[in-house]
Amino acid sequence: MMLRKLLSIYENSILFPDQPITLSEQFYIFFSEMENEWIGIPKSKVSEKEFTLLQTIYQLVEHPPTVRSSVTQGWDAYLLEDGPPPSYHAKSNLRFIQFQINGDDTNQLEIESALKGFFTEGVIIIWENKRRGIIIEEDTIALLTEEELISMSETLESDFYVKISFFIGKFNSFNDQLRSKFLLEKEYFSFGLTHLVSLMNIFTFERVLPAYVAYHLPMDLKPKIHQGIFEVFNDDPEMYSTIKVFLENNLNASLTAKKLYIHRNTLQYRIDKFIDKSGIQLKDFYGAFTVFLACLLFELSQKR
């Protein structure tokens, strides 16, 4: 119970039932052999005299350059270095949830501990660099939904003052194509972070692909898609965001008006105005698809 008492003495300390895989230079890590637990105490909270006392009571865990379990190290080599497949007994399908942290002070130790608290027991977290990592999750009964990931992202932002973005990968079986599928999802995530991060922080294949395709269209083809539509958006700055949100919400006028904080009559006026100027009906599937593609091209053109 002594380690738990230290939590109330040293603010922002963290207790671990297992030795933490990632050791932060901002923490002293002490191990209690009697309690078989580890505690991380911020160095800024410990005086020189207290540090000497703690060392006499507990075992100080040194900070090697990189500390990884054999399981984590196997996944590191496989996913990031084209190494051999890790030793994994495929009981179920796997998905990769990639994350990127944007903040001035990224503490891997604290963030990894917080992430593991949200997911079911047994998830593997590996770090690609100081701010980017991968959560490897098995297909279990209790999976985090997209809404729960959004809530988790908001919690982490409020607790650690960092913004975190996620890419939710598809579930796949453990086979020879797993790494290539991961690399493709990584490419989509990087694209989203570069071009779409101001609009969302939860990415999926379905959300990124349309913009990805629009971005990679041949230059001579792009003007043929948005002819007449860009002019409407340029003449009325509010028109673009109104039409895009309307399409993204499945043409639901009430939900769109609520999200845009406008009256439903105002929304209908803008929609009618767009249809009149562009000559394209939004309630027709092909019309909606064409306009949405034009919205993506317009959005990407504003970022260049």
Side-chain angles (χ1 to χ4, degrees), residues 13-25:
S13 295
I14 308 171
L15 198 64
F16 302 95
D18 302 301
Q19 182 173 351
I21 294 173
T22 305
L23 303 181
S24 170
E25 289 294 336

Side-chain angles (χ1 to χ4, degrees), residues 226-240 243 270 273-279 298:
H226 61 65
Q227 59 176 334
I229 300 176
F230 272 28
E231 286 80 354
V232 179
F233 291 159
N234 286 323
D235 290 343
D236 188 345
E238 292 180 327
M239 188 65 75
Y240 154 71
I243 298 303
R270 292 181 186 174
K273 184 179 179 181
F274 173 81
I275 294 172
D276 180 59
K277 287 193 170 186
S278 67
F298 184 78

Side-chain angles (χ1 to χ4, degrees), residues 217 221-227 229 290 293-294 297:
L217 285 172
L221 182 58
K222 293 179 181 180
K224 297 176 182 178
I225 294 172
H226 61 65
Q227 59 176 334
I229 300 176
T290 301
L293 187 57
L297 289 170

Side-chain angles (χ1 to χ4, degrees), residues 44-263:
S44 60
K45 305 292 183 181
V46 181
S47 67
E48 186 175 342
K49 185 179 294 185
E50 290 170 335
F51 176 67
T52 303
L53 178 61
L54 287 168
Q55 273 190 297
T56 63
I57 302 173
Y58 305 109
Q59 179 184 337
L60 176 67
V61 180
E62 299 296 337
H63 290 65
T66 305
V67 179
R68 295 187 178 93
S69 69
S70 58
V71 174
T72 304
Q73 200 167 30
W75 280 106
D76 275 357
Y78 175 61
L79 294 176
L80 305 176
E81 302 170 14
D82 197 17
S87 298
Y88 174 74
H89 301 289
K91 300 176 183 178
S92 56
N93 292 335
L94 299 168
R95 73 173 174 182
F96 302 107
I97 300 179
Q98 300 176 64
F99 63 89
Q100 166 118 352
I101 302 163
N102 296 306
D104 295 330
D105 186 16
T106 303
N107 190 299
Q108 289 183 334
L109 181 67
E110 288 185 311
I111 291 176
E112 181 171 326
S113 178
L115 285 171
K116 286 185 174 179
F118 284 99
F119 287 88
T120 55
E121 188 177 352
V123 297
I124 297 171
I125 297 179
I126 60 177
W127 291 87
E128 185 174 347
N129 53 49
K130 187 178 180 181
R131 301 182 184 277
R132 191 158 173 170
I134 307 156
I135 301 165
I136 305 172
E137 185 182 32
E138 290 187 349
D139 187 2
T140 60
I141 297 175
L143 294 171
L144 287 185
T145 64
E146 185 174 329
E147 291 72 23
E148 288 171 329
L149 273 175
I150 293 173
S151 176
M152 179 176 73
S153 175
E154 293 171 350
T155 301
L156 291 172
E157 185 172 350
S158 63
D159 288 350
F160 299 105
Y161 305 103
V162 296
K163 183 177 181 181
I164 183 165
S165 301
F166 292 95
F167 184 96
I168 309 172
K170 300 286 188 185
F171 277 104
N172 292 288
S173 58
F174 187 73
N175 55 36
D176 294 340
Q177 281 73 51
L178 186 62
R179 182 175 184 271
S180 61
K181 291 178 179 178
F182 161 74
L183 291 176
L184 186 57
E185 291 178 345
K186 183 180 179 181
E187 183 179 349
Y188 291 146
F189 188 30
S190 297
F191 176 85
L193 290 171
T194 302
H195 300 284
L196 306 174
V197 72
S198 62
L199 305 170
M200 63 182 78
N201 66 334
I202 304 293
F203 300 94
T204 62
F205 167 76
E206 297 90 336
R207 288 193 174 185
V208 174
L209 185 66
Y212 182 88
V213 171
Y215 181 83
H216 289 93
L217 285 172
M219 289 303 297
D220 61 334
L221 182 58
K222 293 179 181 180
K224 297 176 182 178
I225 294 172
H226 61 65
Q227 59 176 334
I229 300 176
F230 272 28
E231 286 80 354
V232 179
F233 291 159
N234 286 323
D235 290 343
D236 188 345
E238 292 180 327
M239 188 65 75
Y240 154 71
S241 58
T242 299
I243 298 303
K244 187 167 185 286
V245 173
F246 182 56
L247 293 172
E248 287 177 334
N249 286 279
N250 301 313
L251 311 185
N252 185 316
S254 298
L255 184 58
T256 302
K258 184 178 180 180
K259 286 194 173 183
L260 291 173
Y261 301 101
I262 60 176
H263 194 276

